[in-house]
Amino acid sequence: MITERLRKEAVFSELAREIGAGRVSNAYLFAGEDKATGEAMMTEVSAALLCPERGCGVCRVCKAVFAGSHPDVHIFNRTKKMSVSDAESLISEAQKSGWQSQRRLFEIFNAEKLTPEVQNKLLKVMEEPPAGAVILMCAAHESALLATVRSRVKLIRLPLWKTGDVVDELKERGVPDGVARVAAKLSGGSFSLALDYAEEEGLEEEYAEVFSMLTGCKNSRDIASYLYSGMFTSAKIGRILDFTEIILRDVLIMKAGADVEKYTYNRDYDLGKIGDGFTAGGAAMALLRVNALRSMLEVNISAETVGEKMLFDILEAKYKWRQS
Ligand SMILES: [Zn+2]
């Protein structure tokens, strides 16, 4: 589970140690591109602040915090956008005493989306914090917050995950191995993004389509049939480039005989077919060419044109870099 992985991270254990020693800030900002990690961190820290065992994870207090039902934990901006009046009610709640503990916690989700008006209201509590009130925020980027707010919070930057950790996490949630590996690679270490990919309809089919295109396209005469198959649409082209890069990378690993883990899973037979005729240098060149095509997407060149150039470039790299 993501919380268990998080507990092993230095960033968490250091903060837990500080809290255990009684050094508690009145406002925290957990910043990191992976939404799931930020939210898990915020909940874990809330539990550590309220649980008599500093976040044991199993007691009644911890369970209530994880379930979002602890009376002294107030949640904002998760399902409903936080308004100025929500910020005002946070301020008045912060002055009161806790129901079950000495503390009142205020968890603010998606803090990068808070309006400047709301942030300015929150500054009031941050400048004169009532005893026992702690504000916890998570945001994709700290730069989205006002400098005045940033200067009042303890900023904790959260790391992205290693591809292997994302794969394991997805598999624990029932995502099949092949999809998990591809989604993890595409996510660049963000678990939330990986989960979005894994749950996206048609991801596995598209991945298979790209494999069959790369195995089937053997010379320039073959290009047209793939080009007009309908797979190169503006919605799909970005992911076709992603998949092609993942596959060519593994072809390169195979050709170079490198001892590096492949991103594709159970596809060695197809990789062999795609790699047939490639030298390692040719595969590397093809990979670079495909990567360079991304800039074409930014200038609104049609998906079919990009697709045609991609297939042509791959074939050219294959033939040009052949050993003589
Ligand atoms: Zn506990």
Side-chain angles (χ1 to χ4, degrees):
M1 261 182 46
I2 200 148
T3 50
E4 279 151 27
R5 281 178 225 293
L6 197 54
R7 280 164 175 257
K8 290 182 196 141
E9 294 284 318
V11 69
F12 177 77
S13 49
E14 274 164 32
L15 187 56
R17 214 174 13 251
E18 271 187 34
I19 291 171
R23 290 195 300 275
V24 177
S25 297
N26 64 294
Y28 292 93
L29 171 61
F30 305 109
E33 269 175 68
D34 187 15
K35 202 172 141 90
T37 305
E39 295 180 0
M41 182 77 178
M42 194 161 70
T43 313
E44 285 290 308
V45 173
S46 292
L49 287 168
L50 296 177
C51 163
E53 305 287 329
R54 299 274 155 254
C56 67
V58 291
C59 72
R60 194 176 47 82
V61 174
C62 285
K63 281 183 178 161
V65 171
F66 296 146
S69 60
H70 194 289
D72 294 328
V73 181
H74 304 269
I75 294 170
F76 294 90
N77 214 35
R78 185 164 60 180
T79 49
K80 181 184 152 284
K81 199 169 166 49
M82 190 172 187
S83 63
V84 171
S85 82
D86 290 331
E88 280 161 355
S89 76
L90 184 156
I91 294 167
S92 72
E93 203 62 47
Q95 319 294 334
K96 297 178 190 165
S97 54
W99 290 90
Q100 284 182 7
S101 68
Q102 300 298 311
R103 292 195 168 112
R104 279 95 59 229
L105 309 186
F106 302 91
E107 293 183 350
I108 303 177
F109 288 71
N110 308 301
E112 74 280 0
K113 292 183 184 148
L114 294 176
T115 62
E117 291 75 21
V118 169
Q119 293 184 47
N120 274 322
K121 276 274 170 208
L122 293 174
L123 258 184
K124 215 181 133 183
V125 201
M126 293 177 182
E127 280 163 354
E128 295 159 50
V134 182
I135 293 183
L136 304 121
M137 301 192 279
C138 62
H141 302 283
E142 71 262 28
S143 57
L145 290 159
L146 298 177
T148 43
V149 170
R150 288 204 304 268
S151 70
R152 296 275 170 189
V153 299
K154 183 173 171 68
L155 172 66
I156 314 272
R157 286 206 185 84
L158 298 170
L160 286 166
W161 300 99
K162 290 193 190 78
T163 305
D165 285 330
V166 180
V167 172
D168 292 344
E169 181 76 32
L170 290 176
K171 279 162 65 178
E172 281 164 24
R173 297 189 186 212
V175 176
D177 203 334
V179 180
R181 281 170 189 250
V182 174
K185 171 61 191 120
L186 293 177
S187 74
S190 159
F191 176 69
S192 300
L193 209 56
L195 197 60
D196 285 349
Y197 278 126
E199 286 172 347
E200 221 169 274
E201 216 166 317
L203 182 93
E204 213 174 352
E205 287 76 7
E206 263 176 54
Y207 177 58
E209 256 183 336
V210 173
F211 253 113
S212 86
M213 172 180 76
L214 293 175
T215 48
C217 190
K218 290 187 168 55
N219 60 59
S220 54
R221 285 188 307 278
D222 298 329
I223 292 178
S225 65
Y226 292 102
L227 213 52
Y228 303 112
S229 66
M231 69 185 282
F232 290 105
T233 63
S234 58
K236 283 180 165 186
I237 186 69
R239 218 155 42 222
I240 291 175
L241 293 180
D242 290 339
F243 288 146
T244 304
E245 276 189 43
I246 289 174
I247 294 167
L248 287 174
R249 172 193 175 274
D250 284 358
V251 168
L252 172 59
I253 288 170
M254 195 178 231
K255 285 284 154 182
D259 186 21
V260 178
E261 201 188 352
K262 296 194 197 79
Y263 288 135
T264 57
Y265 177 68
N266 262 345
R267 287 285 194 161
D268 282 5
Y269 175 74
D270 292 324
L271 291 177
K273 279 211 304 201
I274 296 165
D276 192 27
F278 266 112
T279 59
M285 190 46 66
L287 188 56
L288 291 174
R289 291 278 193 88
V290 172
N291 186 271
L293 291 176
R294 289 182 186 278
S295 59
M296 288 175 82
L297 296 182
E298 285 154 24
V299 289
N300 273 333
I301 294 173
S302 82
E304 276 181 3
T305 306
V306 177
E308 180 177 22
K309 182 138 175 56
M310 180 185 93
L311 292 173
F312 187 78
D313 283 357
I314 293 172
L315 289 172
E316 197 186 48
K318 175 149 84 175
Y319 293 112
K320 227 172 160 173
W321 287 75
R322 255 186 183 165
Q323 268 150 346
S324 48

